[in-house]
Amino acid sequence: MNLRLLYHGHCFDGVASAATFTRFYKERIHPHAEVNYTGLLHRPGNLFDLNMFDSDENAIVDFKYAASEKLTWWFDHHESAFLTPEDEAHFRADTSGRKFLDPTRKSCTEFIADVAHERFGYNPEPIESLVHWAHVIDGALYESPAQCVELKEPALQLMQVIEADPDDSFIERIIRELTTQSLEEVATSSEVQRRFRPILQQHLETLETVKRKAIAANRVVHFDLVDEGYEGFNKFIPYYLHPETTYSVALTRGPQRTKISVGSNPWAPVPRTHNIARICERYGGGGHAVVGAISFKPEEVEEARQAVKEIVAELSTHV
């Protein structure tokens, strides 16, 4: 029995979801299944090559739905879970009892663990720490901006490695280790820590760059890192530097996409009133009410910059 497991790549909740689903699947469904992993990234255009569904069973976790009869398992918690109304109709018509969506959940990891426990008799106690940290990280339930920017906890160090290390084979290795070891064992391993050290240095450099480039007005902080060559950043840096703001809008570029990241400050003195997922959907992106993203082609920098201006203007009203 072969299982193809597609997950949200370079995302702590995506990796934790893949590990959680693997543990459940091998314990309660097919103990001797051979599991193969594929990380998925949001990008412009079609997100799926349906040839990806190449195994006896095919699952997607923490990512949009694919309307394929070869998709046998699906778990997601995003408001923007469907690319098209037809995809949503395909999901609603499914009678397998193996496809699940709950946009109220803070993390997909917790959602999988709960459904696996309640419907399939899975015991999630061995992964309690993994579920807890996925809930904190994906739900932005940190004690303060400093906690998630200063990165003192091993789980947050592992988060940075997952998000920043470009080696997909190593991310797969992390998933496989999380299926047999505790979160703490994986996060404090010598290889994770070796890879974390240069990432921490890059993180500190990015912090200084954002400090220099960020513009804050009308409770919105925005910055453009395209010319600096940064593909990503710790999304809580804006609130660490500008705790008075309610929203952040950032532009970055990598080999596969130019990306607009839109977020809201969990500690904002003035609460969020905009649904960020709905704003991002208008530009072909999506996410949650509190955080979202939009992907453009790598060369579409000026189009993305215009979208940033429009989003900043919209978020600057009724805040």
Side-chain angles (χ1 to χ4, degrees):
M1 168 62 69
N2 293 321
L3 169 69
R4 171 67 63 183
L5 179 47
L6 300 100
Y7 66 96
H8 188 184
H10 296 282
C11 164
F12 185 92
D13 191 35
V15 165
S17 293
T20 298
F21 183 84
T22 301
R23 281 186 179 244
F24 147 65
Y25 187 84
K26 297 194 79 167
E27 182 177 318
R28 303 299 302 169
I29 307 300
H30 289 293
H32 303 295
E34 179 180 333
V35 185
N36 298 294
Y37 299 96
T38 300
L40 297 170
L41 294 176
H42 295 288
R43 62 181 191 271
N46 185 18
L47 298 179
F48 299 103
D49 174 359
L50 295 182
N51 292 324
M52 291 176 173
F53 303 130
D54 59 1
S55 297
D56 300 311
E57 291 220 84
N58 301 282
I60 296 175
V61 294
D62 196 38
F63 207 78
K64 289 182 185 286
Y65 185 78
S68 169
E69 300 309 317
K70 294 182 179 179
L71 179 65
T72 46
W73 294 86
W74 180 64
F75 286 87
D76 194 32
H77 70 127
H78 294 92
E79 283 194 33
S80 308
F82 305 101
L83 285 168
T84 66
E86 291 76 18
D87 286 355
E88 182 172 5
H90 189 277
F91 164 69
R92 301 294 177 195
D94 184 80
T95 58
S96 68
R98 295 188 169 191
K99 297 175 184 177
F100 304 93
L101 172 66
D102 186 349
T104 69
R105 294 301 188 116
K106 297 295 186 184
S107 79
C108 193
T109 303
E110 180 189 59
F111 182 39
I112 295 169
D114 285 350
V115 171
H117 173 64
E118 294 163 6
R119 300 206 183 192
F120 300 95
Y122 170 69
N123 176 18
E125 288 183 10
I127 57 167
E128 184 177 351
S129 180
L130 183 64
V131 171
H132 165 75
W133 277 107
H135 183 76
V136 169
I137 290 169
D138 221 48
L141 300 174
Y142 298 100
E143 297 167 1
S144 67
Q147 182 186 23
C148 45
V149 173
E150 294 172 2
L151 302 173
K152 294 178 180 178
E153 287 93 343
L156 301 182
Q157 296 170 7
L158 179 62
M159 172 195 73
Q160 285 295 114
V161 171
I162 290 169
E163 291 183 357
D165 196 301
D167 185 352
D168 288 337
S169 64
F170 183 67
I171 304 304
E172 179 176 327
R173 173 175 155 183
I174 289 173
I175 295 171
R176 293 189 184 278
E177 290 179 350
L178 286 170
T179 66
T180 58
Q181 302 175 38
S182 72
L183 170 63
E184 288 70 27
E185 287 173 319
V186 176
T188 58
S189 69
S190 59
E191 184 61 16
V192 167
Q193 288 299 308
R194 184 186 73 79
R195 290 174 184 250
F196 172 65
R197 285 189 287 275
I199 290 170
L200 176 61
Q201 184 59 40
Q202 178 76 65
H203 167 66
L204 296 174
E205 292 173 6
T206 306
L207 174 64
E208 291 305 311
T209 302
V210 174
K211 182 187 295 185
R212 176 170 54 85
K213 296 211 66 177
I215 300 169
N218 299 317
R219 303 196 188 280
V220 181
V221 56
H222 66 97
F223 49 95
D224 183 331
L225 302 180
V226 169
D227 293 339
E228 285 68 26
Y230 291 123
E231 188 172 351
F233 62 97
N234 181 307
K235 62 187 176 184
F236 296 98
I237 288 175
Y239 317 127
Y240 182 73
L241 297 174
H242 294 278
E244 78 283 2
T245 58
T246 300
Y247 301 101
S248 66
V249 185
L251 187 65
T252 55
R253 181 169 65 169
Q256 294 184 311
R257 60 179 172 173
T258 295
K259 180 182 178 182
I260 300 174
S261 301
V262 187
S264 57
N265 182 356
W267 309 274
V270 177
R272 173 188 64 83
T273 55
H274 294 274
N275 185 316
I276 290 173
R278 297 290 171 259
I279 293 173
C280 291
E281 284 172 1
R282 297 205 302 268
Y283 296 88
H288 303 281
V290 298
V291 64
I294 306 158
S295 295
F296 291 81
K297 294 177 181 178
E299 66 273 17
E300 293 180 333
V301 173
E302 293 310 315
E303 293 88 338
R305 283 176 170 153
Q306 179 59 36
V308 165
K309 290 180 183 178
E310 294 169 4
I311 294 168
V312 168
E314 180 171 354
L315 294 176
S316 297
T317 61
H318 308 296
V319 296

